[in-house]
Amino acid sequence: MIRTVETTPFADQKPGTSGLRKKVRHFQQPNYIQNFVQATFDSLGAHDGATLVLGGDGRYYNREVIQIVLRMAAANGFGRVLVGQGGILSTPAASNVIRQYGAFGGLILSASHNPGGPDEDFGIKYNIGNGGPAPEAITEAIYARSQVIDRYLTVDADDIDLDTVEETVIGGMTVQVIDPVADYAALMERLFDFDAIRALIASGFRLSFDAMSAVTGPYATEILGRRLGAGEGAILNGVPLPDFGGHHPDPNLVHAKALYDALMAPDAPDFGAASDGDGDRNLIIGRGIFITPSDSLAMLAANAHLAPGYAGGLKGIARSMPTSGAADRVAEALGIALYETPTGWKFFGTLLDAGLATICGEESAGTGSDHVREKDGLWAVLLWLNILAVRRQSVADIATEHWAKYGRNYYARHDYEGVDSAAADALMAALRGKLTELPGSTVNGLKIVSADDFAYIDPVDGSTSQKQGIRIGFDGGSRIVYRLSGTGTSGATLRVYLERYEPATGDLTQDTPVALADLIAAAAQIAGIAAHTGRNAPDVVT
Ligand code: G16
């Protein structure tokens, strides 16, 4: 029987860059999760008898929320829910399940690369029927609904067994527990030349994949370990844990330092990679060389035709605005379009659906293609392996040849974390206030030629997004971008993105901090970072 439960709104249920992310204890307030889920269901239009996909990255509180959502889905008229066994679905695997089974949409429970545990982070987001994150029109509707919500619907039913692959019925709705890995692994086999990668590995090529005690453990164990023959020893931290072993499941040089150190050691494996909490991000390190996400996007795009799934070439490349321009040069050489979108994978959806872009990427360690509508960590790892299997060169040689052909975009992102929100807002407001006076001025010896606040008009549906980041352009093509993160759960995170282009004829072997030193100093000066935040150095450099 459907039960209507009275509730009152929470003011803070506005989805950020990727869904609603808060501390677990915040989510555990009575009715907090119910309000958001009901606001989502209320915003979706007719979904009677429809299929919903449900799964998460296995973090603390995942299982409890799955049971709550199942009861609410039954009360809200869904006909079937496909839920990953153990409540597990990586974000790209969930996207694939939505598409493969023609589901109405899906709820993904994850706070991505943020830490997990009772005092850490949780998150929830809605993906639409194309498998991708809900566009802003929907997230805004969810937020608006959350502000006036006065009831949610549920049924009285026992918890279902999430660990057995079987069908159960609750409140007239079928719950189908599915193998979270099988469909995704089959998709990867269709896109990549597994025989070639197997042969590479059999020839003595050594790889190391760090699943960071997060969701990709089972996927990597099956695909890399078993199907490609790398063995279980190639998978580090392969068992998903609710608290990710107490670490940040963030595949960058700070949080995957052990992997980085192993790849820099004299006896390093040939290839190292990692993925994040929910499996959509990737980190790529060759023996002795880290590949920035922006460079990885460019190198994957330049070589994608070597994998069977992309043998016909690319339709276009899309990147988020703060991502470096390295991919632009590849697009130009290939004679295909390059799209520059705001930060957030949701902005790639229309381009992929319309067949305008095949490969997308972001500086925030995300790369993916039109095979799903999310970024996909293991996909990026497999495309790299496919390329290495065909070219039979080291990662370092591939990077060196790439830069020799296209030039090199030296690039870094500096994050100032846990900044007082009012101070961060004031810094951005002050920057916005001087956009007109900056062009023509010189800072730290660098001449500013442009300054604006990035605004985007979606070329497919015409929707617009304002205030997506302050861009400062310099004589010679260097660039600084400032924006506030939309994924944090406490205070504000100021992101400063720094980029300098060195042509193919220039010095391509500088250390990045040296190549960017002038820009780093200028960035601090232009925004008055120390004055506003009290910080003299970033917390994380990626
Ligand atoms: C999410 C989004 C990405 C975005 C990243 C960082 O990734 O899906 O598109 O680039 O956050 O966003 P921000 O700079 O606003 O923190 P994920 O992996 O956290 O879902």
Side-chain angles (χ1 to χ4, degrees):
M1 211 198 50
I2 297 172
R3 203 154 55 82
T4 303
V5 182
E6 280 183 23
T7 187
T8 49
F10 292 90
D12 63 354
Q13 296 202 320
K14 191 176 178 62
T17 308
S18 182
L20 188 67
R21 291 187 190 169
K22 304 277 178 202
K23 293 288 174 204
V24 166
R25 294 203 192 282
H26 203 88
F27 268 105
Q28 286 173 326
Q29 298 174 79
N31 294 352
Y32 194 84
I33 191 80
Q34 287 87 345
N35 275 21
F36 187 76
V37 171
Q38 188 65 52
T40 302
F41 290 161
D42 287 348
S43 308
L44 295 183
H47 52 261
D48 255 15
T51 298
L52 183 75
V53 172
L54 179 61
D57 60 15
R59 68 178 57 227
Y60 184 87
Y61 207 39
N62 193 59
R63 283 173 174 267
E64 291 83 345
V65 173
I66 285 194
Q67 301 290 355
I68 293 169
V69 174
L70 286 173
R71 285 190 270 268
M72 290 184 64
N76 278 276
F78 283 95
R80 178 178 288 265
V81 175
L82 303 174
V83 56
Q85 188 179 21
I88 295 279
L89 275 176
S90 77
T91 291
S95 182
N96 179 52
V97 172
I98 294 170
R99 295 168 66 76
Q100 188 170 328
Y101 295 92
F104 185 85
L107 280 167
I108 302 178
L109 312 178
S110 171
S112 189
H113 52 290
N114 296 6
D119 295 313
E120 299 296 355
D121 294 355
F122 190 77
I124 179 166
K125 70 169 180 168
Y126 180 71
N127 279 30
I128 59 176
N130 75 351
E136 280 189 333
I138 294 182
T139 57
E140 275 160 20
I142 294 171
Y143 175 58
R145 178 69 193 145
S146 78
Q147 295 310 288
V148 294
I149 197 155
D150 59 2
R151 61 94 182 91
Y152 68 86
L153 306 178
T154 188
V155 296
D156 289 318
D158 290 338
D159 281 1
I160 74 139
D161 172 9
L162 293 175
D163 297 306
T164 312
V165 174
E166 62 178 8
E167 286 193 3
T168 323
V169 175
I170 61 167
M173 179 189 81
T174 303
V175 179
Q176 185 180 348
V177 177
I178 59 170
D179 177 336
V181 177
D183 293 323
Y184 177 83
L187 173 64
M188 294 301 115
E189 287 223 37
R190 291 197 293 277
L191 293 174
F192 301 114
D193 187 343
F194 272 38
D195 286 340
I197 302 174
R198 250 191 307 270
L200 174 74
I201 291 170
S203 74
F205 178 94
R206 287 190 302 135
L207 74 93
S208 187
F209 178 83
D210 190 347
M212 306 193 87
S213 308
V215 80
T216 46
Y219 296 86
T221 302
E222 171 63 20
I223 296 170
L224 303 175
R226 206 182 67 76
R227 298 195 190 189
L228 293 171
E232 284 194 12
I235 318 296
L236 312 173
N237 304 309
V239 178
L241 301 173
D243 68 348
F244 308 119
H247 300 291
H248 286 235
D250 191 353
N252 62 29
L253 299 185
V254 176
H255 296 298
K257 185 163 188 313
L259 180 76
Y260 176 78
D261 289 345
L263 267 291
M264 298 301 135
D267 61 342
D270 297 283
F271 182 79
S275 189
D276 70 331
D278 61 331
D280 56 3
R281 296 185 173 208
N282 72 85
L283 169 70
I284 302 292
I285 314 176
R287 184 194 294 130
I289 183 168
F290 159 61
I291 305 293
T292 68
S294 294
D295 270 348
S296 182
L297 169 66
M299 291 170 194
L300 291 178
N303 292 284
H305 61 280
L306 300 177
Y310 306 93
L314 308 178
K315 294 169 185 150
I317 306 172
R319 64 162 173 83
S320 66
M321 180 275 284
T323 303
S324 95
D328 305 26
R329 297 172 195 282
V330 175
E332 196 184 344
L334 293 174
I336 57 177
L338 184 286
Y339 299 89
E340 188 178 37
T341 61
T343 294
W345 203 264
K346 58 192 172 205
F347 292 102
F348 294 134
T350 52
L351 302 173
L352 293 167
D353 284 352
L356 296 177
T358 306
I359 283 191
C360 309
E362 294 186 283
E363 51 68 38
S364 57
T367 340
S369 85
D370 56 3
H371 68 292
V372 289
R373 293 294 182 273
E374 289 277 5
K375 55 189 186 275
D376 188 343
L378 269 169
W379 171 90
V381 171
L382 289 167
L383 181 49
W384 262 104
L385 289 173
N386 199 145
I387 292 164
L388 292 165
V390 173
R391 289 186 56 167
R392 294 284 175 143
Q393 287 174 291
S394 67
V395 173
D397 285 349
I398 288 176
T400 304
E401 284 187 16
H402 186 95
W403 294 327
K405 178 170 179 187
Y406 298 99
R408 180 171 179 185
N409 292 67
Y410 286 101
Y411 186 87
R413 186 179 94 187
H414 288 194
D415 290 342
Y416 298 78
E417 296 180 338
V419 174
D420 175 67
S421 292
D425 289 341
L427 179 148
M428 293 300 288
L431 269 176
R432 288 197 168 96
K434 58 182 188 181
L435 287 178
T436 47
E437 76 199 42
L438 282 172
S441 65
T442 297
V443 180
N444 196 35
L446 301 171
K447 185 165 179 222
I448 297 175
V449 294
S450 63
D452 70 356
D453 196 348
F454 181 58
Y456 180 65
I457 302 176
D458 186 303
V460 180
D461 66 14
S463 59
T464 59
S465 306
Q466 310 290 335
K467 296 191 172 182
Q468 295 295 325
I470 305 286
R471 303 190 286 189
I472 313 285
F474 295 86
D475 202 13
S478 293
R479 186 176 78 147
I480 299 171
V481 175
Y482 303 88
R483 60 178 282 281
L484 300 183
S485 161
T487 57
T489 58
S490 52
T493 295
L494 170 68
R495 302 205 195 284
V496 183
Y497 310 82
L498 307 133
E499 176 178 3
R500 183 165 81 82
Y501 177 65
E502 185 76 30
T505 48
D507 182 354
L508 302 172
T509 58
Q510 300 170 60
D511 280 340
T512 298
V514 175
L516 297 177
D518 280 1
L519 274 179
I520 293 169
Q525 231 175 301
I526 293 167
I529 294 176
H532 279 286
T533 68
R535 308 286 178 82
N536 289 308
D539 300 284
V540 179
V541 175
T542 51

